[in-house]
Amino acid sequence: QKEVEQNSGPLSVPEGAIASLNCTYSDRGSQSFFWYRQYSGKSPELIMSIYSNGDKEDGRFTAQLNKASQYVSLLIRDSQPSDSATYLCAVPYSGAGSYQLTFGKGTKLSVIP
Amino acid sequence: DTEVTQTPKHLVMGMTNKKSLKCEQHMGHRAMYWYKQKAKKPPELMFVYSYEKLSINESVPSRFSPECPNSSLLNLHLHALQPEDSALYLCASSQEPHWDISYEQYFGPGTRLTVT
């Protein structure tokens, strides 16, 4: 059973602070990791992909991957109220000639003005 | 451009109705997916189409019937649904369905389905 674990939150941070979202996964063979942002009532939006150990930065977002610890995180710098959403960690695994995403339950982030 | 479109945005149907959800992508993606998402839960995979062939059916009841007419289109036919089937139905696509390469998966805006 492939498992992806996230703290469900809610995680509340003040505007301008760094929000840190964490995710652990069970499959040691996993090679790719995705973060999706989902606003209430909307569909998931892919915001970060990471494939190699270390950090990957994109604007205010930084994804961090540690395969040895089976841990991936998302940092949001200078958090804005518009960042308030649920963040889903997703890890693919192969099955029947295609691959499927296993999602964590999501962490709800609230950025307080 | 990473756009996946879905119609309709909202759908209300009775338990005896037949309706269809439509999904379209023009990114040349060869894998397409249907997900169901209930409130405060992550998306739950229903079907995977790989090169227009059904490759994964996650034990979905037969009242849901997927169809892939061509590489750009994906339909979900609905018949005799139950109120508990009310949810957000999401379509997604990814570049290639190879088992050892995990391409990014992009979601459409979803169809909000209410079964009365």
Side-chain angles (χ1 to χ4, degrees):
Chain A
Q1 180 73 12
K2 313 296 182 182
E3 293 184 352
V4 177
E5 300 284 343
Q6 292 181 256
N7 290 329
S8 59
L11 173 66
S12 294
V13 300
E15 184 174 355
I18 296 175
S20 178
L21 305 163
N22 304 316
C23 173
T24 59
Y25 58 95
S26 63
D27 183 8
R28 280 199 172 274
S30 296
Q31 298 294 321
S32 310
F33 306 87
F34 304 112
W35 282 100
Y36 287 85
R37 177 177 63 197
Q38 187 170 25
Y39 293 113
S40 181
K42 302 295 185 183
S43 65
E45 175 192 7
L46 181 66
I47 57 171
M48 287 291 279
S49 309
I50 188 165
Y51 304 92
S52 304
N53 274 333
D55 295 359
K56 178 183 177 183
E57 188 174 316
D58 183 1
R60 295 186 296 110
F61 297 98
T62 299
Q64 299 175 318
L65 175 61
N66 184 326
K67 290 184 180 179
S69 300
Q70 295 174 243
Y71 176 92
V72 58
S73 65
L74 180 70
L75 302 178
I76 307 174
R77 289 184 301 282
D78 187 24
S79 295
Q80 301 296 309
S82 58
D83 295 324
S84 297
T86 296
Y87 290 81
L88 296 162
C89 175
V91 182
Y93 70 93
S94 63
S98 182
Y99 80 90
Q100 306 176 48
L101 287 179
T102 297
F103 287 91
K105 293 184 178 179
T107 298
K108 185 172 182 179
L109 172 66
S110 293
V111 180
I112 312 302
Chain B
D1 183 13
T2 56
E3 188 177 25
V4 177
T5 60
Q6 289 186 245
T7 56
K9 287 192 172 70
H10 301 275
L11 178 62
V12 179
M13 60 185 290
M15 289 189 284
T16 58
N17 291 158
K18 286 185 182 179
K19 296 287 184 184
S20 297
L21 309 184
K22 296 186 185 302
C23 173
E24 189 167 7
Q25 57 88 13
H26 293 289
M27 297 176 279
H29 288 179
R30 302 314 301 269
M32 297 185 77
Y33 310 79
W34 279 116
Y35 289 86
K36 172 183 176 180
Q37 187 176 26
K38 302 282 269 185
K40 300 188 190 303
K41 299 287 187 185
E44 179 185 336
L45 184 67
M46 300 175 73
F47 302 104
V48 180
Y49 271 84
S50 170
Y51 291 97
E52 299 150 55
K53 288 185 169 42
L54 184 64
S55 64
I56 295 175
N57 175 342
E58 290 286 6
S59 303
V60 179
S62 60
R63 57 186 184 268
F64 295 92
S65 175
E67 178 196 20
C68 189
N70 60 54
S71 60
S72 300
L73 291 173
L74 188 65
N75 298 322
L76 186 63
H77 303 298
L78 313 172
H79 172 56
L81 294 192
Q82 304 297 309
E84 59 265 28
D85 296 321
S86 298
L88 180 66
Y89 287 83
L90 297 161
C91 175
S93 71
S94 65
Q95 187 174 348
E96 293 281 349
H98 295 300
W99 69 272
D100 59 346
I101 302 174
S102 301
Y103 289 98
E104 297 169 340
Q105 205 169 113
Y106 297 95
F107 285 85
T111 294
R112 177 72 60 188
L113 174 67
T114 303
V115 181
T116 61

